[in-house]
Amino acid sequence: MMIKFNLLALFFFLSIAVNAQNKPVTAKKLVVVSSYTQYQVSIKANPNNELIEIKKAIPSIRLDIRYATKNNFMRQIMYKQARAFARKPVVESLKKIQAALNKKGYGLKIFDGYRPYAITVEFYKKASDKNFVANPAKGSKHNRGCAVDLTLINLKTGKELLMPTPYDSFSAAAAAKYENVSPEAKKNRDFLIAIMAKYRMNVLGNEWWHYDFSDWRNYDLMDIPFEKL
């Protein structure tokens, strides 16, 4: 009798397991904030949600917004305005970084900050190497206002410091730990990575210029154009 009961129990649990495996998995719906009103409500709930214009908050910072020009991997103008935004805590970190760099005779040049979700969709459609662009299925940390693309400049000359590759390069040398680069480029790259990390901005593994805010998970994906900010 006990053996029969055990066999029935085993059959029951196996049936549940098989049904669980065959049951289709429902994908988690991607939430993207595209309503300006909804965005404003989020700021009232948490002031850190505000997308701050970087240049206004840090006047000494340089801008080179490539996606407002044709000088980018897309070879077309993606932004109607040459502006850069980031969430409030990100801008606070950038302000500290800029101050620390200025003491050493350096400064930041920003290539990109917050990126509307619709732009990420266009990037993914046209990029020749998908490893260098975010998958719209997950969205980008740029879409959250929590990523910044940048480099270092010499304050006296205004020129960029030598780095392993130009901005937005799809080459292997763009990786943060790529070793086969000149000593000067490696020194500059590693210095940038270290000072950014000190203020909670962490480099992306395959792009030495891309830095993510450590608390990016706390912020929604956004699809609000610059003109509304």
Side-chain angles (χ1 to χ4, degrees):
M1 185 73 177
M2 182 61 69
I3 294 173
K4 185 177 180 181
F5 175 78
N6 288 340
L7 286 172
L8 285 171
L10 179 62
F11 177 78
F12 176 73
F13 286 117
L14 284 173
S15 298
I16 291 175
V18 169
N19 287 334
Q21 288 178 355
N22 292 334
K23 188 177 180 181
V25 177
T26 303
K28 187 177 180 181
K29 186 178 179 181
L30 195 69
V31 177
V32 180
V33 176
S34 57
S35 163
Y36 185 72
T37 301
Q38 188 179 347
Y39 163 62
Q40 287 181 311
V41 169
S42 76
I43 295 172
K44 289 181 179 179
N46 182 359
N48 284 341
N49 284 326
E50 185 177 2
L51 287 164
I52 304 288
E53 187 156 7
I54 297 172
K55 182 69 174 175
K56 288 183 178 179
I58 316 170
S60 65
I61 219 160
R62 300 286 184 89
L63 297 183
D64 182 8
I65 309 302
R66 298 288 183 87
Y67 299 126
T69 74
K70 291 184 179 180
N71 182 19
N72 57 66
F73 78 92
M74 295 285 285
R75 298 290 185 266
Q76 66 184 85
I77 295 172
M78 304 302 297
Y79 296 161
K80 292 181 180 179
Q81 298 177 342
R83 302 164 75 192
F85 300 84
R87 301 284 189 176
K88 187 176 180 180
V90 178
V91 175
E92 288 170 355
S93 286
L94 292 175
K95 190 176 291 185
K96 292 174 183 176
I97 294 163
Q98 180 76 344
L101 287 171
N102 286 174
K103 292 177 182 178
K104 298 178 181 292
Y106 303 120
L108 293 173
K109 177 187 277 189
I110 307 290
F111 296 122
D112 196 21
Y114 160 69
R115 180 184 302 156
Y117 178 78
I119 303 297
T120 291
V121 173
E122 291 303 309
F123 282 0
Y124 196 76
K125 285 179 182 178
K126 297 185 179 181
S128 59
D129 188 339
K130 307 299 186 189
N131 292 316
F132 284 88
V133 291
N135 188 331
K138 294 181 178 180
S140 165
K141 296 177 185 69
H142 280 289
N143 304 148
R144 298 177 189 273
C146 291
V148 185
D149 294 345
L150 47 73
T151 192
L152 291 171
I153 62 166
N154 183 305
L155 291 182
K156 288 183 178 179
T157 65
K159 293 182 178 180
E160 295 179 20
L161 271 61
L162 180 68
M163 292 293 177
T165 70
Y167 170 60
D168 254 359
S169 167
F170 283 10
S171 73
K177 294 184 179 179
Y178 191 80
E179 291 295 327
N180 191 22
V181 298
S182 72
E184 183 183 357
K186 184 178 186 301
K187 178 184 175 182
N188 294 336
R189 179 196 67 193
D190 293 351
F191 170 65
L192 176 59
I193 291 171
I195 197 165
M196 294 295 289
K198 184 178 179 180
Y199 296 96
R200 305 174 68 195
M201 301 295 293
N202 304 311
V203 72
L204 184 66
N206 63 339
E207 297 178 355
W208 62 261
W209 58 81
H210 176 119
Y211 295 85
D212 296 322
F213 183 54
S214 59
D215 287 341
W216 62 266
R217 292 174 183 83
N218 296 335
Y219 300 90
D220 290 331
L221 298 165
M222 307 285 287
D223 194 23
I224 296 174
F226 293 173
E227 304 91 89
K228 290 187 177 182
L229 296 174

